[in-house]
Amino acid sequence: MSIAEAVGIALGGGSLLVALTAFLWERTQRRQEIALLRRQIAGEFAAKVVALGVGSSFSGDSGPVTIAVSLRNVGRAAARDVQVDLRHPIEGKPAFWHVVAKQNVSAALLPGESQRTDLEHVQRDVVERDDVVLFCSWDDENGFQERELGYLTFLFAR
């Protein structure tokens, strides 16, 4: 065996070792990514904000309405930058919404934590519409989330 053949075999063996190490590293990374995706799908990193109660107060027959909203995070992760807002669809464009009132609820709503906020100075004619919807938005480990909490007329129904 010549020196050139020995060097060739050594380089080939080294290349094989590097390729095997890269393969094992990528396989480990891929398994970790799949495990993370499974945990996300299972909701381990998800916050879920729900309405516990909705109430209203007003003064006079035509004065503005204050809508009180109690929220709770029933998910497994913290909800950050939680906001609630009232919307109604734009006439002729049902896919687009007009925001009527918006209120910050909390910078962070931890799992199991509840918070109450008031949407103040909502016009009476807006509240009396039958297509006004209460929405909640927040950020969690899965990114920006936005959920419809329900139609205002349904939430006020007894």
Side-chain angles (χ1 to χ4, degrees), residues 53-112:
V54 178
S56 66
S57 63
F58 52 89
S59 59
D61 291 336
S62 61
V65 178
T66 299
I67 298 173
V69 181
S70 295
L71 301 172
R72 175 174 283 165
N73 181 2
V74 296
R76 295 182 180 180
R80 296 180 308 276
D81 301 324
V82 182
Q83 295 181 339
V84 292
D85 58 72
L86 285 178
R87 304 178 194 175
H88 66 79
I90 296 174
E91 294 188 30
K93 299 179 181 177
F96 296 99
W97 296 88
H98 175 68
V99 176
V100 179
K102 188 173 199 169
Q103 181 64 39
N104 292 331
V105 177
S106 178
L109 199 59
L110 300 175

